[in-house]
Amino acid sequence: QFSDWIELEFSVNRRVVSGIVRLCLRKIEPHLELYVSPVNVNPERPALPIAEPIYFSTWLAKKQGLFGTLGLMEDTWGRNELALDDQRFLDQAYSAHEERERMLFETLDKTREGLCVCVFDASDRIQHMFWRYLDPQHPSPREDPRFAEAIPDMYRRMDRVVGEVRRRLRSDDVLMIISDHGFSSFRRGINLNTRLLKAG
């Protein structure tokens, strides 16, 4: 299973910068294998602006503990390179999702006027990695039937979040649920630079 967030310090141009990672022990024998997440900016001591106002991430970290700050928290490349299996990838995705839920509800309860926005991206990442279980003609293998419900389960979780948000809203509040794109199988792609180069 994944560890809690672990603080690391890096020396950059005679300055100490704080980052955070999560670890996951993959196996002990015949050789030790340890997954280390990509390094995130420490929200409690950010080395660069990651929130507006700048102290917002520090306030959140003090209220709920350290949390991931990368734009892409779920390590899809780690899964593609087999550093994570399907279960560890889901564990990572839902850990980030739960952090966002806590942030949303903490902030929503403190917002008396104005706009409160939260991006939940587990739906995107989980569909990227588990669509193969929905599409019998998908080119990637479906290794384990236990994950056939990964996408519907994720939507059920999101429905619960929406229900909880609605429960906390006042009668004159406006709730908007916005998606940046839909989803489908991915069977082919094009490298535009290669295509342009070949076309002269």
Side-chain angles (χ1 to χ4, degrees):
Q1 68 186 33
F2 281 94
S3 70
D4 291 335
W5 288 107
I6 297 170
E7 293 186 57
L8 302 175
E9 290 189 343
F10 302 90
S11 180
V12 179
N13 297 331
R14 293 190 291 244
R15 181 176 167 222
V16 175
V17 175
S18 179
I20 57 174
V21 296
R22 296 181 76 201
L23 308 177
C24 184
L25 182 63
R26 294 189 59 221
K27 61 181 170 177
I28 298 172
E29 294 180 345
H31 305 289
L32 180 70
E33 287 187 19
L34 185 67
Y35 168 84
V36 181
S37 74
V39 178
N40 287 246
V41 173
N42 184 339
E44 200 165 31
R45 297 187 294 144
L48 52 102
I50 59 169
E52 180 59 41
I54 193 125
Y55 59 80
F56 185 61
S57 68
T58 303
W59 175 77
L60 276 174
K62 290 201 181 305
K63 292 292 282 181
Q64 69 180 47
L66 296 175
F67 56 87
T69 57
L70 287 179
L72 181 60
M73 278 300 308
E74 304 84 358
D75 192 0
T76 55
W77 280 112
R79 175 62 191 105
N80 286 337
E81 297 295 322
L82 306 180
L84 297 172
D85 60 20
D86 281 342
Q87 185 59 60
R88 299 298 83 71
F89 179 83
L90 276 178
D91 292 346
Q92 186 184 57
Y94 282 129
S95 175
H97 176 89
E98 289 160 7
E99 287 177 353
R100 300 242 173 97
E101 274 191 51
R102 287 193 302 274
M103 283 187 252
L104 169 63
F105 295 133
E106 180 72 41
T107 307
L108 189 61
D109 288 346
K110 302 274 187 281
T111 303
R112 296 292 166 245
E113 61 180 31
L115 185 65
C116 179
V117 178
C118 188
V119 176
F120 286 95
D121 49 20
S123 58
D124 177 85
R125 311 311 188 246
I126 290 171
Q127 287 180 113
H128 273 298
M129 305 313 289
F130 291 90
W131 198 268
R132 66 189 194 274
Y133 287 99
L134 295 183
D135 179 1
Q137 295 171 339
H138 197 281
S140 298
R142 293 171 290 284
E143 295 105 350
D144 190 333
R146 289 179 305 150
F147 300 106
E149 287 292 305
I151 293 173
D153 285 346
M154 173 272 306
Y155 276 108
R156 285 188 276 274
R157 280 190 188 220
M158 287 309 307
D159 283 347
R160 284 194 295 276
V161 171
V162 171
E164 180 59 23
V165 169
R166 290 184 70 193
R167 190 185 71 71
R168 292 171 185 240
L169 294 180
R170 296 176 301 251
S171 60
D172 58 341
D173 288 337
V174 175
L175 171 63
M176 290 185 264
I177 301 170
I178 302 168
S179 175
D180 60 341
H181 61 79
F183 237 88
S184 186
S185 276
F186 179 79
R187 291 200 175 90
R188 65 177 181 228
I190 183 171
N191 183 312
L192 290 177
N193 288 336
T194 302
R195 177 69 186 108
L196 292 169
L197 181 64
K198 287 181 177 178

